[in-house]
Amino acid sequence: LQSFLTDSESMIVYYAILSLHYLVVTDEMDYKVVLKVLNKNVIKLDGKVETFFELNDLVIEALVIFLGTGGSDIDEDEKQEEQTSVSASTEISVATLCRLAISEPFLAQSISNCSDSSR
């Protein structure tokens, strides 16, 4: 899957990211490991939000789906205890999604989509 993340065809990258997403959802892969792989091969997730908009829309969609999954740094034994802190990987994901949501290109696209749908 890792080699598909650098493919020139955006649909292949999209499905590679979604495959990683579902492997995380089914606990077959660790969220933090996949986050590192995406940082290395697709986009620096703690970098500038503007770099998101250099990617194809499908790739952005897959990244948002993956980031929305979030991760957990707690073990099975710790799940019994009340968790009061947020994992570092979840912080990175939420911060990236927030920066993306309030970025100028995203807001401009959202406004454009709303005015197109109202016609």
Side-chain angles (χ1 to χ4, degrees):
L1 282 173
Q2 191 169 349
S3 63
F4 292 132
L5 292 173
T6 57
D7 198 279
S8 61
E9 182 64 43
S10 57
M11 186 63 77
I12 292 174
V13 177
Y14 172 82
Y15 282 117
I17 295 171
L18 283 186
S19 297
L20 291 169
H21 161 74
Y22 288 115
L23 287 170
V24 169
V25 168
T26 59
D27 290 327
E28 297 297 324
M29 289 192 78
D30 183 52
Y31 182 82
K32 290 188 296 184
V33 172
V34 175
L35 196 61
K36 288 178 184 177
V37 168
L38 292 174
N39 270 321
K40 180 181 175 189
N41 294 302
V42 181
I43 187 170
K44 187 81 169 147
L45 293 172
D46 58 353
K48 293 184 177 183
V49 166
E50 290 77 23
T51 57
F52 262 83
F53 296 103
E54 296 170 5
L55 299 171
N56 180 282
D57 289 346
L58 286 173
V59 176
I60 295 172
E61 178 182 334
L63 284 169
V64 168
I65 290 169
F66 172 76
L67 291 173
T69 302
S72 175
D73 289 341
I74 57 174
D75 297 328
E76 290 296 321
D77 296 337
E78 294 174 353
K79 285 186 180 179
Q80 304 300 328
E81 299 174 14
E82 185 178 334
Q83 184 182 7
T84 58
S85 62
V86 177
S87 69
S89 56
T90 301
E91 280 185 43
I92 291 170
S93 299
V94 171
T96 302
L97 288 172
C98 289
R99 285 193 311 262
L100 182 62
I102 62 172
S103 66
E104 219 172 288
F106 183 80
L107 291 173
Q109 182 64 38
S110 298
I111 292 169
S112 172
N113 289 345
C114 287
S115 39
D116 289 346
S117 64
S118 65
R119 292 178 188 174

